[in-house]
Amino acid sequence: MDRKQGLSLGRDDIVQLKEAYKWITHPLFSEELGVPVDGKSLFEVSVIFAHPETDEDCHFLSTSCPDCFKPAKNKQSVFTRMAVVKALDKIKEEDFRKKFPCPPNSPKSFCSAVEIECAHGAVFVAGRYNKYSRNLPQTPWIIDGERKLESSVEELISSQLLTVFKAESFNFSSSGREDVDVRTLGNGRPFAVELVNPRRVQFTSRDIKELQQKINISSDKIQVRDLQLVTREAIGHMKEGEEVKTKTYSALVWTDKAIQKKDIEFLDDLKDLQINQKTPLRVLHRRPLAIRTRIIHTMETHYIDEHHFRLHLKTQAGTYIKEFVHGDFGRTKPNIGSLMDGTADILELDVESVDVDWPPALND
């Protein structure tokens, strides 16, 4: 029907060819396989058909829109679905009718199935991890193609999940990260793992609990808690809290000059201290140069000896704690050294809590 006749048909009034195809084939698949067909199922069966007789039906479009069909390294043919759709949008009705019969000619041969592929949509697992080692990075530590340490938090957790879910690959994410030499204690740090194309997806809560135990037995460097299946949408809760929540730390501080307990007590009285942090030298290679304002909500000191004390801090997320202690050559102001009118350095750092209320705590 000529577009110029201006039929009062809305987009929803026209049945897409693929929808009609589904109406015809879904009952046939269901009868043949003995299972119901669900168009929104995470399990997909992809069938690639070949039909040489009609392979070149769309080739005439390349003359009407040469720019639509450009070679690409990973494409076997320039006549991709997106390219054809783009060309059809550009060609005029009369030009299309001149080049292609409408309705099209009936094919004389059947198509053949050349490839059948089964795939399952990603499954997501979340939990919280504790890290007890001061020699373990969160993600694989590779510099210039050379691996620096043999393992990582990501691999210790995800390798177990990959095996049990029989997945092709994984993507690991977490609410912030800690340095290789920093422990994560308390209730742990929230994390989520996307398991790509898993072959096994049915798990009971008991199965997941056993999987958690398996991860925890496999290494003394980490422990996992609250392991559970979650939706893709739920992972957003973890990222939402990343920058707005508070975090609690414990630092072992060294001072160059001898101190008494009374010399550090003033730090306990400082509340909501505002600091300015220029991007630390140690992360400048991967973070843009900027000055970030952060808040140190509270501090609590515990005197050890004349050159050491323990500092407990509650801070705004995104605060560089090491730099707040030693000053990073004056790039963080004020810092513990400048507040004490001397030089300070950090010997140990622990994350004691990440105040993100996700994933939900489970009763073990």
Side-chain angles (χ1 to χ4, degrees):
M1 191 66 71
D2 196 315
R3 292 176 191 167
K4 292 177 181 176
Q5 292 182 10
L7 291 176
S8 58
L9 285 175
R11 194 178 185 87
D12 294 338
D13 296 319
I14 302 170
V15 176
Q16 295 290 322
L17 188 61
K18 65 178 181 179
E19 293 302 318
Y21 179 79
K22 288 177 186 177
W23 295 343
I24 297 166
T25 58
H26 279 190
L28 298 174
F29 281 121
S30 186
E31 185 180 344
E32 189 69 28
L33 299 173
V35 292
V37 174
D38 179 1
K40 295 181 180 178
S41 170
L42 287 175
F43 181 71
E44 291 185 353
V45 180
S46 173
V47 184
I48 297 175
F49 294 100
H51 193 240
E53 185 186 336
T54 53
D55 264 356
E56 298 182 4
D57 277 5
C58 60
H59 286 198
F60 74 91
L61 291 168
S62 61
T63 57
S64 62
C65 183
D67 291 341
C68 297
F69 302 95
K70 292 183 177 178
K73 288 181 181 178
N74 59 341
K75 302 290 183 184
Q76 292 182 342
S77 169
V78 294
F79 293 97
T80 62
R81 176 178 169 170
M82 292 302 293
V84 170
V85 168
K86 190 175 179 182
L88 285 171
D89 280 341
K90 292 194 173 185
I91 193 170
K92 293 179 180 177
E93 182 95 15
E94 54 267 28
D95 292 339
F96 180 84
R97 285 176 169 276
K98 287 176 188 175
K99 303 281 181 70
F100 194 78
C102 192
N105 298 324
S106 296
K108 296 178 175 63
S109 60
F110 290 106
C111 60
S112 57
V114 293
E115 188 178 332
I116 300 175
E117 191 176 274
C118 297
H120 197 286
V123 171
F124 299 85
V125 178
R128 302 176 81 99
Y129 73 78
N130 290 106
K131 171 177 171 291
Y132 300 121
S133 170
R134 294 198 188 278
N135 195 35
L136 183 71
Q138 188 197 60
T139 53
W141 194 7
I142 299 168
I143 300 176
D144 296 330
E146 182 183 344
R147 183 155 195 147
K148 296 299 180 183
L149 290 170
E150 65 180 26
S151 192
S152 66
V153 173
E154 172 187 295
E155 290 164 299
L156 289 173
I157 295 173
S158 301
S159 61
Q160 299 285 343
L161 297 176
L162 205 62
T163 302
V164 174
F165 281 79
K166 299 180 180 177
E168 276 182 11
S169 59
F170 68 85
N171 295 303
F172 182 92
S173 58
S174 64
S175 180
R177 59 189 296 130
E178 66 284 309
D179 291 339
V180 61
D181 58 349
V182 175
R183 298 187 302 177
T184 299
L185 309 177
N187 287 331
R189 185 184 297 278
F191 73 88
V193 181
E194 176 186 10
L195 294 151
V196 180
N197 194 18
R199 269 89 175 156
R200 183 187 171 193
V201 295
Q202 298 294 332
F203 290 88
T204 64
S205 56
R206 183 179 180 84
D207 292 334
I208 298 295
K209 192 172 182 179
E210 288 174 359
L211 177 54
Q212 176 175 298
Q213 291 170 345
K214 189 175 180 182
I215 294 170
N216 291 342
I217 291 169
S218 69
S219 174
D220 60 358
K221 294 181 178 181
I222 62 156
Q223 288 280 288
V224 168
R225 70 178 68 203
D226 300 331
L227 198 69
Q228 56 197 276
L229 291 166
V230 297
T231 63
R232 182 190 293 271
E233 292 72 29
I235 294 174
H237 296 307
M238 178 177 74
K239 292 298 181 182
E240 283 168 12
E242 201 169 83
E243 288 301 322
V244 298
K245 298 289 185 176
T246 59
K247 297 187 179 181
T248 309
Y249 301 87
S250 171
L252 179 60
V253 180
W254 168 87
T255 61
D256 63 330
K257 61 182 183 182
I259 56 170
Q260 299 298 320
K261 187 178 180 181
K262 60 181 175 61
D263 297 323
I264 58 173
E265 286 177 340
F266 77 97
L267 294 172
D268 297 7
D269 299 325
L270 296 177
K271 307 298 179 190
D272 295 326
L273 175 68
Q274 183 173 299
I275 65 171
N276 292 313
Q277 296 197 295
K278 193 178 285 188
T279 305
L281 293 171
R282 64 188 171 93
V283 300
L284 203 49
H285 65 286
R286 55 185 170 88
R287 292 278 169 86
L289 179 61
I291 296 176
R292 299 170 180 84
T293 300
R294 293 291 183 261
I295 303 296
I296 309 297
H297 295 296
T298 62
M299 287 185 277
E300 185 181 319
T301 56
H302 294 275
Y303 182 80
I304 298 174
D305 60 39
E306 59 182 17
H307 286 287
H308 301 89
F309 67 95
R310 177 72 62 179
L311 179 65
H312 295 276
L313 312 95
K314 188 169 189 176
T315 75
Q316 179 183 350
T319 305
Y320 291 107
I321 305 301
K322 291 177 178 178
E323 282 69 21
F324 172 60
V325 174
H326 60 60
D328 198 26
F329 300 101
R331 296 168 71 84
T332 289
K333 297 177 181 178
N335 55 71
I336 293 297
S338 67
L339 290 169
M340 295 182 62
D341 197 24
T343 300
D345 205 351
I346 186 166
L347 305 181
E348 289 179 356
L349 180 62
D350 294 328
V351 180
E352 294 196 324
S353 75
V354 180
D355 300 331
V356 176
D357 301 327
W358 188 89
L362 301 178
N363 295 322
D364 290 332

